[in-house]
Amino acid sequence: MIIKRNRTSSLDIDHALYLYFLGLSTRSVSKAIFHLNKVKRSHVAIWKWIQKYTPQKISIKKKRISEFIIDETLIKVGPEYIWLWVTIEPENRDILALSISKERNMFVAERFPDGLIKIHGKHGVSTDGGTWYPQACRFLKLKHHIHSSLEKSLIERTMQYLKDRTESFDDYFPCRIKNCRLKHVSNWLNMFSDYHNKEVNNA
């Protein structure tokens, strides 16, 4: 006997991911889509949708970019801490790029804005007082300045929001793989960034 499984429509998956983006846990999303759309899927299925999600774009290339606001912070993944690097655009509030690394050094600080240049071209860079950024910007021939109070507020708000959400998902799906390459974290960040940018662009 062959059991035929019903495929979940892309619209139902999009609804589920949006509910998750708004703050529901994967278990709550599972209950919500069954109640609203009569789609019965487990919380594990929701997590797999997050992992398989492919953003059309993490950032909106056609939009005017006034500058790159860059910062980094520690996030906890399983038993270890990793560095999360974030760039936002101050006017439209888009997340332009995200990256993770197990180390914070001059090489990483230089590689991150170099990737931005390849996508968006050269723009001024605003950072905190980290000593590696001015040197990296000089090497890449980018204008650099320390965050203004507004720029600091914008990037700190984004970083805190990301940290709150990553702590939440790792409580439910902790990483237990030794020497994990953190692909599941990158997948989650790409999904979250894409939905964040859609939200701010439609606001």
Side-chain angles (χ1 to χ4, degrees):
M1 179 179 177
I2 299 175
I3 300 175
K4 185 177 180 180
R5 298 185 63 183
N6 293 326
R7 293 180 62 86
T8 310
S9 72
S10 58
L11 184 60
D12 286 329
I13 293 175
D14 184 62
H15 287 166
L17 294 181
Y18 184 65
L19 289 171
Y20 177 80
F21 167 76
L22 290 178
L24 272 67
S25 68
T26 53
R27 291 183 186 275
S28 295
V29 170
S30 175
K31 294 176 182 177
I33 62 173
F34 178 70
H35 178 74
L36 297 172
N37 302 333
K38 304 304 178 186
V39 176
K40 189 174 183 179
R41 298 293 183 272
S42 69
H43 71 285
V44 176
I46 309 301
W47 178 248
K48 288 180 178 179
W49 294 345
I50 294 168
Q51 291 299 303
K52 292 178 180 179
Y53 181 78
T54 302
Q56 294 180 351
K57 290 181 180 180
I58 290 182
S59 54
I60 306 300
K61 189 175 179 180
K62 293 181 179 179
K63 284 199 170 185
R64 179 181 177 273
I65 296 174
S66 59
E67 67 171 347
F68 301 138
I69 302 182
I70 301 176
D71 202 0
E72 81 289 336
T73 188
L74 279 171
I75 60 173
K76 191 172 186 294
V77 178
E80 66 176 325
Y81 286 90
I82 63 171
W83 289 99
L84 169 63
W85 304 74
V86 180
T87 301
I88 64 171
E89 205 289 323
E91 293 185 5
N92 55 52
R93 314 295 171 88
D94 276 349
I95 295 176
L96 297 177
L98 291 166
S99 182
I100 53 176
S101 66
K102 294 191 176 183
E103 296 180 342
R104 181 180 66 165
N105 53 40
M106 180 62 200
F107 174 73
V108 180
E110 181 183 308
R111 184 179 58 188
F112 186 50
D114 187 43
L116 284 166
I117 293 172
K118 291 175 181 177
I119 299 173
H120 303 286
K122 291 188 176 183
H123 299 278
V125 174
S126 166
T127 70
D128 60 14
T131 57
W132 47 84
Y133 287 121
Q135 187 175 344
C137 288
R138 282 195 297 271
F139 180 80
L140 296 169
K141 298 180 179 179
L142 300 174
K143 292 183 179 180
H144 172 267
H145 68 271
I146 303 298
H147 293 322
S148 68
S149 58
L150 175 60
E151 291 163 343
K152 182 178 179 181
S153 174
L154 291 173
I155 191 66
E156 286 184 348
R157 193 181 311 158
T158 301
M159 299 296 264
Q160 189 58 53
Y161 190 41
L162 283 167
K163 287 184 71 172
D164 290 344
R165 293 306 305 275
T166 53
E167 288 172 3
S168 174
F169 91 67
D170 203 53
D171 287 343
Y172 291 101
F173 294 90
C175 181
R176 297 186 177 91
I177 301 174
K178 188 176 181 180
N179 298 320
C180 176
R181 298 182 66 180
L182 306 174
K183 180 64 175 176
H184 69 294
V185 181
S186 295
N187 291 340
W188 185 93
L189 290 169
N190 284 342
M191 183 283 296
F192 191 87
S193 299
D194 198 51
Y195 273 82
H196 165 84
N197 289 348
K198 289 176 182 175
E199 189 82 349
V200 296
N201 289 322
N202 292 329

